[in-house]
Amino acid sequence: MTLRIKRQIANTVSYVLLAILSIYCAFPFVWMVISSLKPRNEIRVRTPSFMIENPTLDNFVRVLFGHNFTTYVRNSLIVSVSACALSLAISILAGYAFSRYYRKRAVKYSNLGMLISQMIPGVLLLVPLYIIMRNLQVLDSYLSLILAYTTFVIPLCTFMLSSAFDSIPMSLEEAAQLDGCGKLETIWRVVLPVMVPAIVSVGLYAFINAWNEFMFGYIFISQDEYRTITPAIMLFKGANSVDWGGLMAASVVAVLPVALIFLFLQRYFIAGLMSGAVKG
Amino acid sequence: MSTATRPPALEAAEATEATEKRDQRLIRSGRRFPYLALAPAWVFLVLLIGYPLLKVLWDAFQHANLINTDLAGFAGLENFSDVIADRHFAGAVRNTIIWTVASVAGEFVIGLGSALLLNRRVRGQGFFRVLTFIPWLVPIIVAGMTWEWMLNPDFGIVNSMLTSSGIIESPINFLGDATWAMATVVFVNIWRSFPYYTISFLAALQAIPQELYEAAQIDGASAFRQFRSVTFPQLRSPALIIVFIHIIWTAVNFDFIWVMTQGGPNYATITLPILIYRYSMQDFNVGMASALSTMMLIATSLIFVLYYKYRRTLSEEVVG
Amino acid sequence: MKKYKAVIATIALIPLTLTACSGASGGEESSGKSGAPIELWTAWTEGATTQEASQEMIAQFEADSGQTVNQTNFTYDMLREKLVASAAGGNLPDAVWGLPEYVGEFNKLGILANLSDSWDSWADKDKVSEAVKAAMTVDGKIIGFPYETTTRAYLVHDDVLAAGGKSVPTTWEDVLAIGSSVKDATGSSAFGVAGAGVRAPQELLVYLAQQGLKIADEKDGGFRNTWQDDPAELAKATAVFQFYADLMDSGAVNPNSPTYGWEETDENFVTGLTATYVTGNWLAERETSNAETMGDVSVHPIPYPADGQPATYIEAKPLMVMEGTDVLDGATQLAQAFASEKWQTAAFAERSALNTVSTDSKWSKDFQALLESGVTYPPITLGTITQSMIDSIAMVLQEGTSPEEAAIWLSDQINDSLETSGDLA
């Protein structure tokens, strides 16, 4: 077979697989969007269907304007972006140390310490963290959430970044140091630009972790003005009834901004940015 | 001070001294650097995780009941034996292992596969990437409630579609039938977790220089051979990390199963973290909850030892 | 190296010092002046009448009394976890919407203020039934004002039942006699039970009460389950579990019932999938959203065994005031205001404990008529006990255990829990 036909087959197979993958991933979300556009009497019915008889934007209007969701989105953005930036800063430094100084005892203990920190179930962190935040007097403020979320993601971010550092040859750094750059400068100017996809992926992870977290969101925050979006979504499940329309609409509102951010950022997962720097 | 010519030997000596001083400074700052680099991370972890960790280890050996303070006192290993004697302990251990292994395996396969697919230059690449990313974006409670609704035997779209197309005769109670519950929960967990593998693998795939592929092609290697000798070795390092960290997270994860089944039906999907939640929030028995948590900590530490051995090998290859 | 060890050691000491001052600083923000705001935690459904009316009433309260009320909304589950964490951290709110299931354990945590004096001087206290007052009492002290009170009644889809050729059952035997005839005729199950979630123990409580049984009797300042002390009681407890088993065997209930929570059972009734069901009057609003299936609903007392007595579950929710609050008077006033006739009529017209507050609809009158025979949980720590109740139902319905074994097992579990929580007589 010629190369051309081989490529076409490969492409077709790819498209089919991608289509299956997309359906698998998007199906529940499609169901969420459709449900959010249904009026009350069509949502939870005996025979569910994808068709909407009387589509309505009522649920969205209610969620955005009746329920203060614009405040919640704002709060989530503030907390998530801050947690993301803070954890990136800390993890880049720690990840570098893990990669380049792996022989040192300090690194080994840090490795162990970070892994152990992941092993504590959230439920047992509830009361101790609450007490700590209380004593730091940051309850009912963005800071309590930012501090907690940063701490939760530092280990994984560090490990992932250290693995990314692993794939950068030392020759790059040595060259910069010969030119008189200090360590920090080397990292900032020479190494990081070459690691952009890894940084984007780790940053995204930290962001989304903070965005989706809900338990500490409602434990630390007791004032509506600081509430974040995911704990707020839980309110649609009432004591005796579930407001499915509102729940679905609120979830769509929670997912869309992040999806858009990703649509913008996924460009950074392209080889073109990289191939120049690593050569020779 | 007169600027009489200075003997060249003295100048040379001073110059060497200056270089040595600079080198020493560089070396010293190099020596200090790892500690400074690790310091911020340590501050956060010690401050916020240190106390809870110590508390858990301490409480494991105490009688600690939030409701009944009369019971306080040293408990030795009693909490541990109480936990093991719990009639749900064995089932929870078994379920935790199945839940962890099946989830991570599924996530790895789908994550790697999707990363390879999304790495190819096809039309609409960005669009497909966003779609693949969506499961991870949906908040856990929403994902749980939506899947629960879709899988409901009476109102769910999945059963509705399966029965109307004739694939099955009567609706399957996915989350309410003990034979299906665990598999269903694992399936939904894979759905929501695999995108992280995809992203990480995608990032790692981008780091593979194009020349390596070209060289392999010139040597006449097939696509599969290329994958094995060029792609996979480069993915070892991130793969190792993701898999090990996810093993720990999945084992410790509580909220996902709780949202969907609360450990039911009739304990069919109960895992160790759910047991911990029950001990601490339902029974208010912090002692037993801490003991079980300590046991999990020891088990996962052993996994860490394995991870560290592999990690060292990889690092040695790069840094030397 | 030594320098760094010192640094690390210092960092390690910080969390210890931070946590050392945990209990000491409770409520240090204000000094008990009337200017301090009252922190109120609610759990209403957003966008419903209760919320709107309550917010108006609260605004009025602020104007009349000169105090500020800081109200935030949560779900009951969130509330419970937050209260446990706040109790440990010494940072409790001032007034909280509670559930009857929380009374025992919160009392044990020592966070409930004693409102007995305020109750005695309450203008509307005579309009509240003894059963509701008992639900707010623990250890002889009153710990809350009833802000929302509902009973359970037997709801029937008249058309579906008629299509199956049956009349409304009044006894357990009647229900079992229907068997699968309604299902065969219409495709809908005759009756409904919840086997999981918070609804299951509430239903079990009613069926036990209809046999004259309690899950724990009060004696000598403590509580104890007495089923195994008296063969007659054990036989009745067995009869209750036998009823569950018979419901499944006779085909009167959906085979998936063992795993249904309130979400499923309520939904099944609303959509007509179940012909009759014991539930509360919050389904009134579904008459508009599910008009085709909810048009034929009638309200009846819950069927009870022929040799038993009528009973229903009273969910009397207490508005609790937290112990150690610095605005005790204000918070108590607020709690009492919620239970007052004016607020109840405005925000809880169909769900009030006051016998002067009701509407003309069947959802209000017919439910309130059942208050007399209402039972509620004893004021004990319930977490493990309700779980054991759910497990005992599962043993009978899913594991095939004999009803008598299940009754004995549950009795043992209840007494074990009472012992652990220090409530055992």
Side-chain angles (χ1 to χ4, degrees), chain C residues 226-239:
Chain C
T226 52
W227 300 347
Q228 297 189 68
D229 301 337
D230 177 1
E233 284 199 10
L234 188 57
K236 291 190 186 163
T238 310

Side-chain angles (χ1 to χ4, degrees), chain A residues 145-163:
Chain A
L145 294 178
I146 296 175
L147 290 178
Y149 295 160
T150 305
T151 315
F152 296 153
V153 299
I154 285 179
L156 181 69
C157 293
T158 307
F159 291 152
M160 289 304 299
L161 285 171
S162 80
S163 139

Side-chain angles (χ1 to χ4, degrees), chain A residues 37 47 49 51 54 61 74 94 113 120 141 144 154 160 167 180 184 237 242 261:
Chain A
L37 294 169
T47 27
S49 94
M51 302 289 129
N54 301 311
V61 168
R74 182 201 73 196
I120 309 179
S141 79
S144 59
I154 285 179
M160 289 304 299
S167 65
L184 276 181
K237 183 166 183 183
V242 180
I261 293 178

